[in-house]
Amino acid sequence: MPMRLPPLLRFWLPLLAVVTILGLVHALGGDHPSAQSIAMALLLTGTIALAGYLFAVIAQPERF
Amino acid sequence: MTSFPRVPFLRMPRGPRHERRHVERPRHQGLWRRALIDAVRKLDPRLTVTNPVMFVTWCGTALCLLLTLSPDLFDGPDAGQSRGFNGLISLTLLATLLFANVAEALAEGRGKAQADALRRTQARTEARRLADDGSIERVDSSALRRGDRVQVEAGDVIPADGEVIDGVASVDESAITGESAPVLKEAGSDVAGSVTGGTRILSDQLTLRITADPGKGFIDRMIALVEGAERTKTPNEIALTVLLAVLTQVFLIAVATLRPVAGFLGQAPSVVTLIALLVALIPTTIGGLLSAIGIAGMDRVAQFNVIATSGRAVEACGDVNVLVLDKTGTITLGNRLAEEFLPVGDHSVMDLAMVALAASCFDQTPEGRSIVRLAERLGATLAFDPSTARGIDFSARTRMSGSDTPEGVEYRKGAVEAIKGFVRSRGGQVPGALDDTFEQVSSLGGTPLAVCQGNAVLGVIHLKDIIKPGIRERFEQLRRMGIRTVMLTGDNPITAGVIAREAGVDDFIAEATPEDKISVIQREQALGKLVAMTGDGSNDAPALAQANVGVAMNSGTQAAKEAANMVDLDSDPTKLIDIVTIGKQLLITRGALTTFSIANDVAKYFAILPALFVEAGLGPLNVMQLASPRSAVLSAMVFNALIIPALVPLALRGVQFRPLSAEQLLQRNLLIYGVGGLVAPFVGIKLIDVVVNTLHLV
């Protein structure tokens, strides 16, 4: 069975991801970020999300 | 530590089961094709997300594929990223995912084949439903509902699960059990009173009350279970998933922080190399095979013609410490036979034979029929017309049976204590010689049945028990595995003690009532033990529900089957021992492959870390003398992918089971799968490196 996120998380998680990406893009590239710094911000956000997912598995393994 | 001589684990002699003609076996044609299709379908991230190790690998694969299309995405055009190298790493990662999916799909496919075999027994048929006024209405079997009454006769397929409310007939259950010999079904019988939809009536006629709505029958539930539709992770799998997730988390954080650290050392490892390092560090082998091992465990039980209601039940078998076994049918051959008549007091053998015959003329059990045969052989005849007499059935409470004539003469046979009580209640005296005869028979391991006519005791029938060949060795092996065996029997303590000693069980409960089963289980569970038992009657249902592993016989009542967490389609109680060994094998396989997976990561560190930090002085760690940093990374990744299909047969078949203690098993597994898992990848990665360089792949 494919997994589905709870409705609340389906709204907040993408929002959190967008905010993180924007913050990281600004931190890595300043006011005029290059394509590399945007990609790096995306990579870091993805890594953080992956770590969050692993924490969720550790905390509630039976849901997975 | 005590060492035991190694003996091969004996399989129980199955007697007629070897000769059984399995009419319908699971068909495995197309299994691989279906598995390959399913493996691709399982690449859906919504499915992969349930497995943390494989989901991280999936994310890494996606990123590598992106970097194959756009190598300069992170590091700019000056970093010298190679599209070809990125593509090769992407392919090996994709192969890793597909191999893991194939393993799971293969295990599931075998379960589906079993389900298909069961589904073929479910052909819709026409049923004769009885209306309240007694008229017969012909309806499709799918229109039957719980509580409907139907009539079936010779040649009909039984349209749905039901209980016999009228009639006696022989039924062919080969469609679900593979057993071609017909079984007798009759109204009013506890264990022969239920029928399964899809089986065929061979003779006579039965009236049934339907006990399951369409889609809720025994076979429907079994199909859902073997297909894995109701599969949930077992406690052990959950614990292992947490361990794997923790390891993955640690390595993810380590790898994510490596790039700035490497930058400080003047190194600039590419993102693809870091992904390769991450995948090499996390335990992908066990992550990829974990669910396949669990599904294959259930499948092995199913191949034994036992249907487990959940993976949890199979796994619980592996942790069982105590087996509660019925003596009859499990430890001894089912039928005890009358060996001799031993009169007491002034009575002759002929007197005793006459009364034994009178007390057994309504007894249709094998024991009862053997008493009749022995009495008739001695020339005994019935002193009354059986059509005018009333039969008294045996019950676990009265522990005796017999017959009452219209003249008021009561003939009884049964447990010695029960007969003593009966005789005293009629104002009779119990001769002292009865106890001597009782002890004489009991000390031989026989079952003494006292016989009386009214208030007069005539003597004892010696019923002979035959212990199953090989059972003593089985119990010895179970003891070495740390499993205690408890025999339950209705026999007196002396007989029970002799049989327990001969069979080699650890403990026994004599003169056991159905309530004793549940109390012995509760007592053992209170000591922290996990208990397994078998049962078939409605009175076994509470104990089957209480036991950690309850195996109901397919010939048993609906109540027993619903209370148990496994159903043995062959109705062979001895199989409990085999089921426990399958559960142990499942746990051992999971432990062995986890050990192997974690051990073989070490070689990958020696391949990838020197490649990453060659300029920082880690070159001497390249103990395998791999040709170049890129070939080292690629070789490690190829090995990481190939080891999964290499271990699939082991995961599906299970590691070879040996009846050893937990300590001995741990030592053995550490030696084979720990040291083996440590050494094999060094050899494998080196060989792959040679091939990679020979083919000039990097």
Side-chain angles (χ1 to χ4, degrees), chain A residues 57-58 61 64, chain B residues 50-53 233-248 290:
Chain A
V57 174
I58 294 162
F64 293 84
Chain B
T50 55
N51 184 331
V53 176
K233 278 188 179 168
T234 62
N236 261 310
E237 274 181 308
I238 289 174
L240 198 50
T241 302
V242 171
L243 173 71
L244 298 182
V246 168
L247 286 173
T248 309
L290 184 59

mmCIF file with all atom_site columns, all heavy atoms in Angstrom, chain A residues 57-58 61 64, chain B residues 50-53 233-248 290:
data_model
loop_
_atom_site.group_PDB
_atom_site.id
_atom_site.type_symbol
_atom_site.label_atom_id
_atom_site.label_alt_id
_atom_site.label_comp_id
_atom_site.label_asym_id
_atom_site.label_entity_id
_atom_site.label_seq_id
_atom_site.pdbx_PDB_ins_code
_atom_site.Cartn_x
_atom_site.Cartn_y
_atom_site.Cartn_z
_atom_site.occupancy
_atom_site.B_iso_or_equiv
_atom_site.pdbx_formal_charge
_atom_site.auth_seq_id
_atom_site.auth_comp_id
_atom_site.auth_asym_id
_atom_site.auth_atom_id
_atom_site.pdbx_PDB_model_num
ATOM 1   N N   . VAL A 1 57  ? 10.920 7.455   11.117 1.00 0.00 ? 57  VAL A N   1
ATOM 2   C CA  . VAL A 1 57  ? 10.932 5.983   11.105 1.00 0.00 ? 57  VAL A CA  1
ATOM 3   C C   . VAL A 1 57  ? 11.376 5.454   12.471 1.00 0.00 ? 57  VAL A C   1
ATOM 4   O O   . VAL A 1 57  ? 10.796 4.505   13.007 1.00 0.00 ? 57  VAL A O   1
ATOM 5   C CB  . VAL A 1 57  ? 11.872 5.432   9.994  1.00 0.00 ? 57  VAL A CB  1
ATOM 6   C CG1 . VAL A 1 57  ? 11.991 3.919   10.087 1.00 0.00 ? 57  VAL A CG1 1
ATOM 7   C CG2 . VAL A 1 57  ? 11.363 5.833   8.628  1.00 0.00 ? 57  VAL A CG2 1
ATOM 8   N N   . ILE A 1 58  ? 12.389 6.108   13.036 1.00 0.00 ? 58  ILE A N   1
ATOM 9   C CA  . ILE A 1 58  ? 12.906 5.654   14.336 1.00 0.00 ? 58  ILE A CA  1
ATOM 10  C C   . ILE A 1 58  ? 11.839 5.855   15.419 1.00 0.00 ? 58  ILE A C   1
ATOM 11  O O   . ILE A 1 58  ? 11.645 5.001   16.292 1.00 0.00 ? 58  ILE A O   1
ATOM 12  C CB  . ILE A 1 58  ? 14.210 6.406   14.690 1.00 0.00 ? 58  ILE A CB  1
ATOM 13  C CG1 . ILE A 1 58  ? 15.309 6.023   13.691 1.00 0.00 ? 58  ILE A CG1 1
ATOM 14  C CG2 . ILE A 1 58  ? 14.657 6.098   16.108 1.00 0.00 ? 58  ILE A CG2 1
ATOM 15  C CD1 . ILE A 1 58  ? 16.486 6.991   13.651 1.00 0.00 ? 58  ILE A CD1 1
ATOM 16  N N   . PRO A 1 61  ? 8.181  3.385   14.047 1.00 0.00 ? 61  PRO A N   1
ATOM 17  C CA  . PRO A 1 61  ? 8.487  2.388   12.998 1.00 0.00 ? 61  PRO A CA  1
ATOM 18  C C   . PRO A 1 61  ? 7.258  1.635   12.506 1.00 0.00 ? 61  PRO A C   1
ATOM 19  O O   . PRO A 1 61  ? 7.211  1.226   11.349 1.00 0.00 ? 61  PRO A O   1
ATOM 20  C CB  . PRO A 1 61  ? 9.474  1.445   13.682 1.00 0.00 ? 61  PRO A CB  1
ATOM 21  C CG  . PRO A 1 61  ? 9.256  1.634   15.140 1.00 0.00 ? 61  PRO A CG  1
ATOM 22  C CD  . PRO A 1 61  ? 8.816  3.045   15.324 1.00 0.00 ? 61  PRO A CD  1
ATOM 23  N N   . PHE A 1 64  ? 5.549  2.617   9.313  1.00 0.00 ? 64  PHE A N   1
ATOM 24  C CA  . PHE A 1 64  ? 6.230  2.367   8.035  1.00 0.00 ? 64  PHE A CA  1
ATOM 25  C C   . PHE A 1 64  ? 6.212  0.874   7.718  1.00 0.00 ? 64  PHE A C   1
ATOM 26  O O   . PHE A 1 64  ? 7.036  0.318   7.150  1.00 0.00 ? 64  PHE A O   1
ATOM 27  C CB  . PHE A 1 64  ? 7.649  2.920   8.079  1.00 0.00 ? 64  PHE A CB  1
ATOM 28  C CG  . PHE A 1 64  ? 7.670  4.425   8.158  1.00 0.00 ? 64  PHE A CG  1
ATOM 29  C CD1 . PHE A 1 64  ? 7.537  5.070   9.369  1.00 0.00 ? 64  PHE A CD1 1
ATOM 30  C CD2 . PHE A 1 64  ? 7.781  5.193   7.016  1.00 0.00 ? 64  PHE A CD2 1
ATOM 31  C CE1 . PHE A 1 64  ? 7.535  6.450   9.457  1.00 0.00 ? 64  PHE A CE1 1
ATOM 32  C CE2 . PHE A 1 64  ? 7.782  6.571   7.088  1.00 0.00 ? 64  PHE A CE2 1
ATOM 33  C CZ  . PHE A 1 64  ? 7.653  7.208   8.313  1.00 0.00 ? 64  PHE A CZ  1
ATOM 34  N N   . THR B 2 50  ? 8.474  2.786   2.786  1.00 0.00 ? 50  THR B N   1
ATOM 35  C CA  . THR B 2 50  ? 8.297  1.931   3.970  1.00 0.00 ? 50  THR B CA  1
ATOM 36  C C   . THR B 2 50  ? 9.603  1.255   4.397  1.00 0.00 ? 50  THR B C   1
ATOM 37  O O   . THR B 2 50  ? 9.669  0.670   5.465  1.00 0.00 ? 50  THR B O   1
ATOM 38  C CB  . THR B 2 50  ? 7.256  0.827   3.692  1.00 0.00 ? 50  THR B CB  1
ATOM 39  O OG1 . THR B 2 50  ? 7.669  0.110   2.536  1.00 0.00 ? 50  THR B OG1 1
ATOM 40  C CG2 . THR B 2 50  ? 5.873  1.408   3.465  1.00 0.00 ? 50  THR B CG2 1
ATOM 41  N N   . ASN B 2 51  ? 10.622 1.320   3.547  1.00 0.00 ? 51  ASN B N   1
ATOM 42  C CA  . ASN B 2 51  ? 11.910 0.703   3.862  1.00 0.00 ? 51  ASN B CA  1
ATOM 43  C C   . ASN B 2 51  ? 12.975 1.804   3.895  1.00 0.00 ? 51  ASN B C   1
ATOM 44  O O   . ASN B 2 51  ? 13.403 2.290   2.843  1.00 0.00 ? 51  ASN B O   1
ATOM 45  C CB  . ASN B 2 51  ? 12.241 -0.342  2.774  1.00 0.00 ? 51  ASN B CB  1
ATOM 46  C CG  . ASN B 2 51  ? 13.509 -1.107  3.070  1.00 0.00 ? 51  ASN B CG  1
ATOM 47  O OD1 . ASN B 2 51  ? 14.419 -0.600  3.717  1.00 0.00 ? 51  ASN B OD1 1
ATOM 48  N ND2 . ASN B 2 51  ? 13.563 -2.334  2.600  1.00 0.00 ? 51  ASN B ND2 1
ATOM 49  N N   . PRO B 2 52  ? 13.399 2.262   5.094  1.00 0.00 ? 52  PRO B N   1
ATOM 50  C CA  . PRO B 2 52  ? 14.278 3.440   5.167  1.00 0.00 ? 52  PRO B CA  1
ATOM 51  C C   . PRO B 2 52  ? 15.583 3.296   4.395  1.00 0.00 ? 52  PRO B C   1
ATOM 52  O O   . PRO B 2 52  ? 16.020 4.243   3.741  1.00 0.00 ? 52  PRO B O   1
ATOM 53  C CB  . PRO B 2 52  ? 14.534 3.606   6.669  1.00 0.00 ? 52  PRO B CB  1
ATOM 54  C CG  . PRO B 2 52  ? 14.107 2.345   7.314  1.00 0.00 ? 52  PRO B CG  1
ATOM 55  C CD  . PRO B 2 52  ? 13.090 1.728   6.432  1.00 0.00 ? 52  PRO B CD  1
ATOM 56  N N   . VAL B 2 53  ? 16.191 2.122   4.448  1.00 0.00 ? 53  VAL B N   1
ATOM 57  C CA  . VAL B 2 53  ? 17.475 1.939   3.761  1.00 0.00 ? 53  VAL B CA  1
ATOM 58  C C   . VAL B 2 53  ? 17.286 2.068   2.254  1.00 0.00 ? 53  VAL B C   1
ATOM 59  O O   . VAL B 2 53  ? 18.030 2.785   1.576  1.00 0.00 ? 53  VAL B O   1
ATOM 60  C CB  . VAL B 2 53  ? 18.092 0.559   4.111  1.00 0.00 ? 53  VAL B CB  1
ATOM 61  C CG1 . VAL B 2 53  ? 19.367 0.326   3.335  1.00 0.00 ? 53  VAL B CG1 1
ATOM 62  C CG2 . VAL B 2 53  ? 18.349 0.463   5.601  1.00 0.00 ? 53  VAL B CG2 1
ATOM 63  N N   . LYS B 2 233 ? 4.292  -5.604  9.617  1.00 0.00 ? 233 LYS B N   1
ATOM 64  C CA  . LYS B 2 233 ? 5.639  -5.914  10.101 1.00 0.00 ? 233 LYS B CA  1
ATOM 65  C C   . LYS B 2 233 ? 5.557  -6.605  11.463 1.00 0.00 ? 233 LYS B C   1
ATOM 66  O O   . LYS B 2 233 ? 4.734  -6.226  12.299 1.00 0.00 ? 233 LYS B O   1
ATOM 67  C CB  . LYS B 2 233 ? 6.461  -4.643  10.209 1.00 0.00 ? 233 LYS B CB  1
ATOM 68  C CG  . LYS B 2 233 ? 7.043  -4.216  8.879  1.00 0.00 ? 233 LYS B CG  1
ATOM 69  C CD  . LYS B 2 233 ? 8.008  -3.075  9.032  1.00 0.00 ? 233 LYS B CD  1
ATOM 70  C CE  . LYS B 2 233 ? 8.585  -2.696  7.676  1.00 0.00 ? 233 LYS B CE  1
ATOM 71  N NZ  . LYS B 2 233 ? 9.302  -1.449  7.699  1.00 0.00 ? 233 LYS B NZ  1
ATOM 72  N N   . THR B 2 234 ? 6.417  -7.590  11.651 1.00 0.00 ? 234 THR B N   1
ATOM 73  C CA  . THR B 2 234 ? 6.438  -8.313  12.919 1.00 0.00 ? 234 THR B CA  1
ATOM 74  C C   . THR B 2 234 ? 7.287  -7.514  13.917 1.00 0.00 ? 234 THR B C   1
ATOM 75  O O   . THR B 2 234 ? 8.069  -6.638  13.514 1.00 0.00 ? 234 THR B O   1
ATOM 76  C CB  . THR B 2 234 ? 7.063  -9.699  12.719 1.00 0.00 ? 234 THR B CB  1
ATOM 77  O OG1 . THR B 2 234 ? 8.405  -9.513  12.277 1.00 0.00 ? 234 THR B OG1 1
ATOM 78  C CG2 . THR B 2 234 ? 6.298  -10.502 11.688 1.00 0.00 ? 234 THR B CG2 1
ATOM 79  N N   . PRO B 2 235 ? 7.176  -7.807  15.221 1.00 0.00 ? 235 PRO B N   1
ATOM 80  C CA  . PRO B 2 235 ? 7.959  -7.053  16.206 1.00 0.00 ? 235 PRO B CA  1
ATOM 81  C C   . PRO B 2 235 ? 9.466  -7.088  15.927 1.00 0.00 ? 235 PRO B C   1
ATOM 82  O O   . PRO B 2 235 ? 10.155 -6.086  16.062 1.00 0.00 ? 235 PRO B O   1
ATOM 83  C CB  . PRO B 2 235 ? 7.629  -7.763  17.523 1.00 0.00 ? 235 PRO B CB  1
ATOM 84  C CG  . PRO B 2 235 ? 6.297  -8.375  17.291 1.00 0.00 ? 235 PRO B CG  1
ATOM 85  C CD  . PRO B 2 235 ? 6.249  -8.744  15.853 1.00 0.00 ? 235 PRO B CD  1
ATOM 86  N N   . ASN B 2 236 ? 9.950  -8.246  15.492 1.00 0.00 ? 236 ASN B N   1
ATOM 87  C CA  . ASN B 2 236 ? 11.384 -8.352  15.186 1.00 0.00 ? 236 ASN B CA  1
ATOM 88  C C   . ASN B 2 236 ? 11.754 -7.499  13.989 1.00 0.00 ? 236 ASN B C   1
ATOM 89  O O   . ASN B 2 236 ? 12.804 -6.861  13.964 1.00 0.00 ? 236 ASN B O   1
ATOM 90  C CB  . ASN B 2 236 ? 11.738 -9.809  14.881 1.00 0.00 ? 236 ASN B CB  1
ATOM 91  C CG  . ASN B 2 236 ? 12.337 -10.486 16.073 1.00 0.00 ? 236 ASN B CG  1
ATOM 92  O OD1 . ASN B 2 236 ? 13.256 -9.957  16.672 1.00 0.00 ? 236 ASN B OD1 1
ATOM 93  N ND2 . ASN B 2 236 ? 11.793 -11.624 16.434 1.00 0.00 ? 236 ASN B ND2 1
ATOM 94  N N   . GLU B 2 237 ? 10.883 -7.497  12.989 1.00 0.00 ? 237 GLU B N   1
ATOM 95  C CA  . GLU B 2 237 ? 11.144 -6.682  11.791 1.00 0.00 ? 237 GLU B CA  1
ATOM 96  C C   . GLU B 2 237 ? 11.142 -5.201  12.157 1.00 0.00 ? 237 GLU B C   1
ATOM 97  O O   . GLU B 2 237 ? 11.969 -4.432  11.653 1.00 0.00 ? 237 GLU B O   1
ATOM 98  C CB  . GLU B 2 237 ? 10.070 -6.941  10.731 1.00 0.00 ? 237 GLU B CB  1
ATOM 99  C CG  . GLU B 2 237 ? 10.364 -8.117  9.840  1.00 0.00 ? 237 GLU B CG  1
ATOM 100 C CD  . GLU B 2 237 ? 9.286  -8.318  8.802  1.00 0.00 ? 237 GLU B CD  1
ATOM 101 O OE1 . GLU B 2 237 ? 8.106  -8.383  9.179  1.00 0.00 ? 237 GLU B OE1 1
ATOM 102 O OE2 . GLU B 2 237 ? 9.622  -8.415  7.622  1.00 0.00 ? 237 GLU B OE2 1
ATOM 103 N N   . ILE B 2 238 ? 10.213 -4.811  13.040 1.00 0.00 ? 238 ILE B N   1
ATOM 104 C CA  . ILE B 2 238 ? 10.143 -3.403  13.457 1.00 0.00 ? 238 ILE B CA  1
ATOM 105 C C   . ILE B 2 238 ? 11.427 -3.025  14.189 1.00 0.00 ? 238 ILE B C   1
ATOM 106 O O   . ILE B 2 238 ? 12.029 -1.979  13.918 1.00 0.00 ? 238 ILE B O   1
ATOM 107 C CB  . ILE B 2 238 ? 8.890  -3.162  14.338 1.00 0.00 ? 238 ILE B CB  1
ATOM 108 C CG1 . ILE B 2 238 ? 7.628  -3.240  13.464 1.00 0.00 ? 238 ILE B CG1 1
ATOM 109 C CG2 . ILE B 2 238 ? 8.961  -1.816  15.049 1.00 0.00 ? 238 ILE B CG2 1
ATOM 110 C CD1 . ILE B 2 238 ? 6.324  -3.163  14.214 1.00 0.00 ? 238 ILE B CD1 1
ATOM 111 N N   . ALA B 2 239 ? 11.872 -3.907  15.088 1.00 0.00 ? 239 ALA B N   1
ATOM 112 C CA  . ALA B 2 239 ? 13.107 -3.633  15.845 1.00 0.00 ? 239 ALA B CA  1
ATOM 113 C C   . ALA B 2 239 ? 14.289 -3.498  14.885 1.00 0.00 ? 239 ALA B C   1
ATOM 114 O O   . ALA B 2 239 ? 15.127 -2.591  15.024 1.00 0.00 ? 239 ALA B O   1
ATOM 115 C CB  . ALA B 2 239 ? 13.347 -4.738  16.856 1.00 0.00 ? 239 ALA B CB  1
ATOM 116 N N   . LEU B 2 240 ? 14.342 -4.395  13.895 1.00 0.00 ? 240 LEU B N   1
ATOM 117 C CA  . LEU B 2 240 ? 15.446 -4.350  12.942 1.00 0.00 ? 240 LEU B CA  1
ATOM 118 C C   . LEU B 2 240 ? 15.343 -3.106  12.053 1.00 0.00 ? 240 LEU B C   1
ATOM 119 O O   . LEU B 2 240 ? 16.365 -2.490  11.714 1.00 0.00 ? 240 LEU B O   1
ATOM 120 C CB  . LEU B 2 240 ? 15.427 -5.628  12.090 1.00 0.00 ? 240 LEU B CB  1
ATOM 121 C CG  . LEU B 2 240 ? 16.705 -5.978  11.337 1.00 0.00 ? 240 LEU B CG  1
ATOM 122 C CD1 . LEU B 2 240 ? 17.919 -5.952  12.231 1.00 0.00 ? 240 LEU B CD1 1
ATOM 123 C CD2 . LEU B 2 240 ? 16.572 -7.342  10.687 1.00 0.00 ? 240 LEU B CD2 1
ATOM 124 N N   . THR B 2 241 ? 14.122 -2.728  11.701 1.00 0.00 ? 241 THR B N   1
ATOM 125 C CA  . THR B 2 241 ? 13.925 -1.511  10.898 1.00 0.00 ? 241 THR B CA  1
ATOM 126 C C   . THR B 2 241 ? 14.454 -0.294  11.646 1.00 0.00 ? 241 THR B C   1
ATOM 127 O O   . THR B 2 241 ? 15.109 0.580   11.063 1.00 0.00 ? 241 THR B O   1
ATOM 128 C CB  . THR B 2 241 ? 12.419 -1.327  10.577 1.00 0.00 ? 241 THR B CB  1
ATOM 129 O OG1 . THR B 2 241 ? 11.970 -2.474  9.881  1.00 0.00 ? 241 THR B OG1 1
ATOM 130 C CG2 . THR B 2 241 ? 12.176 -0.098  9.722  1.00 0.00 ? 241 THR B CG2 1
ATOM 131 N N   . VAL B 2 242 ? 14.189 -0.227  12.966 1.00 0.00 ? 242 VAL B N   1
ATOM 132 C CA  . VAL B 2 242 ? 14.688 0.897   13.770 1.00 0.00 ? 242 VAL B CA  1
ATOM 133 C C   . VAL B 2 242 ? 16.220 0.894   13.769 1.00 0.00 ? 242 VAL B C   1
ATOM 134 O O   . VAL B 2 242 ? 16.857 1.941   13.568 1.00 0.00 ? 242 VAL B O   1
ATOM 135 C CB  . VAL B 2 242 ? 14.131 0.816   15.217 1.00 0.00 ? 242 VAL B CB  1
ATOM 136 C CG1 . VAL B 2 242 ? 14.806 1.849   16.109 1.00 0.00 ? 242 VAL B CG1 1
ATOM 137 C CG2 . VAL B 2 242 ? 12.620 1.035   15.220 1.00 0.00 ? 242 VAL B CG2 1
ATOM 138 N N   . LEU B 2 243 ? 16.806 -0.288  13.952 1.00 0.00 ? 243 LEU B N   1
ATOM 139 C CA  . LEU B 2 243 ? 18.274 -0.380  13.947 1.00 0.00 ? 243 LEU B CA  1
ATOM 140 C C   . LEU B 2 243 ? 18.832 0.113   12.607 1.00 0.00 ? 243 LEU B C   1
ATOM 141 O O   . LEU B 2 243 ? 19.790 0.912   12.572 1.00 0.00 ? 243 LEU B O   1
ATOM 142 C CB  . LEU B 2 243 ? 18.711 -1.827  14.213 1.00 0.00 ? 243 LEU B CB  1
ATOM 143 C CG  . LEU B 2 243 ? 20.208 -2.093  14.069 1.00 0.00 ? 243 LEU B CG  1
ATOM 144 C CD1 . LEU B 2 243 ? 20.998 -1.444  15.202 1.00 0.00 ? 243 LEU B CD1 1
ATOM 145 C CD2 . LEU B 2 243 ? 20.508 -3.582  14.014 1.00 0.00 ? 243 LEU B CD2 1
ATOM 146 N N   . LEU B 2 244 ? 18.231 -0.335  11.523 1.00 0.00 ? 244 LEU B N   1
ATOM 147 C CA  . LEU B 2 244 ? 18.714 0.059   10.192 1.00 0.00 ? 244 LEU B CA  1
ATOM 148 C C   . LEU B 2 244 ? 18.522 1.555   9.965  1.00 0.00 ? 244 LEU B C   1
ATOM 149 O O   . LEU B 2 244 ? 19.385 2.225   9.380  1.00 0.00 ? 244 LEU B O   1
ATOM 150 C CB  . LEU B 2 244 ? 17.992 -0.742  9.096  1.00 0.00 ? 244 LEU B CB  1
ATOM 151 C CG  . LEU B 2 244 ? 18.189 -2.268  9.127  1.00 0.00 ? 244 LEU B CG  1
ATOM 152 C CD1 . LEU B 2 244 ? 17.461 -2.927  7.967  1.00 0.00 ? 244 LEU B CD1 1
ATOM 153 C CD2 . LEU B 2 244 ? 19.660 -2.645  9.088  1.00 0.00 ? 244 LEU B CD2 1
ATOM 154 N N   . ALA B 2 245 ? 17.389 2.079   10.470 1.00 0.00 ? 245 ALA B N   1
ATOM 155 C CA  . ALA B 2 245 ? 17.129 3.518   10.311 1.00 0.00 ? 245 ALA B CA  1
ATOM 156 C C   . ALA B 2 245 ? 18.151 4.332   11.116 1.00 0.00 ? 245 ALA B C   1
ATOM 157 O O   . ALA B 2 245 ? 18.628 5.375   10.645 1.00 0.00 ? 245 ALA B O   1
ATOM 158 C CB  . ALA B 2 245 ? 15.709 3.848   10.747 1.00 0.00 ? 245 ALA B CB  1
ATOM 159 N N   . VAL B 2 246 ? 18.495 3.856   12.311 1.00 0.00 ? 246 VAL B N   1
ATOM 160 C CA  . VAL B 2 246 ? 19.479 4.574   13.136 1.00 0.00 ? 246 VAL B CA  1
ATOM 161 C C   . VAL B 2 246 ? 20.843 4.571   12.424 1.00 0.00 ? 246 VAL B C   1
ATOM 162 O O   . VAL B 2 246 ? 21.500 5.613   12.313 1.00 0.00 ? 246 VAL B O   1
ATOM 163 C CB  . VAL B 2 246 ? 19.593 3.929   14.541 1.00 0.00 ? 246 VAL B CB  1
ATOM 164 C CG1 . VAL B 2 246 ? 20.803 4.463   15.288 1.00 0.00 ? 246 VAL B CG1 1
ATOM 165 C CG2 . VAL B 2 246 ? 18.319 4.191   15.343 1.00 0.00 ? 246 VAL B CG2 1
ATOM 166 N N   . LEU B 2 247 ? 21.249 3.405   11.919 1.00 0.00 ? 247 LEU B N   1
ATOM 167 C CA  . LEU B 2 247 ? 22.532 3.319   11.197 1.00 0.00 ? 247 LEU B CA  1
ATOM 168 C C   . LEU B 2 247 ? 22.521 4.254   9.985  1.00 0.00 ? 247 LEU B C   1
ATOM 169 O O   . LEU B 2 247 ? 23.489 4.982   9.727  1.00 0.00 ? 247 LEU B O   1
ATOM 170 C CB  . LEU B 2 247 ? 22.780 1.879   10.736 1.00 0.00 ? 247 LEU B CB  1
ATOM 171 C CG  . LEU B 2 247 ? 23.186 0.873   11.810 1.00 0.00 ? 247 LEU B CG  1
ATOM 172 C CD1 . LEU B 2 247 ? 23.237 -0.536  11.246 1.00 0.00 ? 247 LEU B CD1 1
ATOM 173 C CD2 . LEU B 2 247 ? 24.555 1.233   12.391 1.00 0.00 ? 247 LEU B CD2 1
ATOM 174 N N   . THR B 2 248 ? 21.398 4.239   9.257  1.00 0.00 ? 248 THR B N   1
ATOM 175 C CA  . THR B 2 248 ? 21.290 5.080   8.055  1.00 0.00 ? 248 THR B CA  1
ATOM 176 C C   . THR B 2 248 ? 21.373 6.562   8.432  1.00 0.00 ? 248 THR B C   1
ATOM 177 O O   . THR B 2 248 ? 22.055 7.352   7.761  1.00 0.00 ? 248 THR B O   1
ATOM 178 C CB  . THR B 2 248 ? 19.965 4.775   7.327  1.00 0.00 ? 248 THR B CB  1
ATOM 179 O OG1 . THR B 2 248 ? 19.869 3.370   7.142  1.00 0.00 ? 248 THR B OG1 1
ATOM 180 C CG2 . THR B 2 248 ? 19.888 5.464   5.988  1.00 0.00 ? 248 THR B CG2 1
ATOM 181 N N   . LEU B 2 290 ? 15.201 -7.751  3.828  1.00 0.00 ? 290 LEU B N   1
ATOM 182 C CA  . LEU B 2 290 ? 14.461 -7.908  5.087  1.00 0.00 ? 290 LEU B CA  1
ATOM 183 C C   . LEU B 2 290 ? 13.027 -8.410  4.873  1.00 0.00 ? 290 LEU B C   1
ATOM 184 O O   . LEU B 2 290 ? 12.613 -9.409  5.474  1.00 0.00 ? 290 LEU B O   1
ATOM 185 C CB  . LEU B 2 290 ? 14.449 -6.571  5.847  1.00 0.00 ? 290 LEU B CB  1
ATOM 186 C CG  . LEU B 2 290 ? 13.798 -6.599  7.223  1.00 0.00 ? 290 LEU B CG  1
ATOM 187 C CD1 . LEU B 2 290 ? 14.488 -7.592  8.139  1.00 0.00 ? 290 LEU B CD1 1
ATOM 188 C CD2 . LEU B 2 290 ? 13.830 -5.209  7.851  1.00 0.00 ? 290 LEU B CD2 1
#
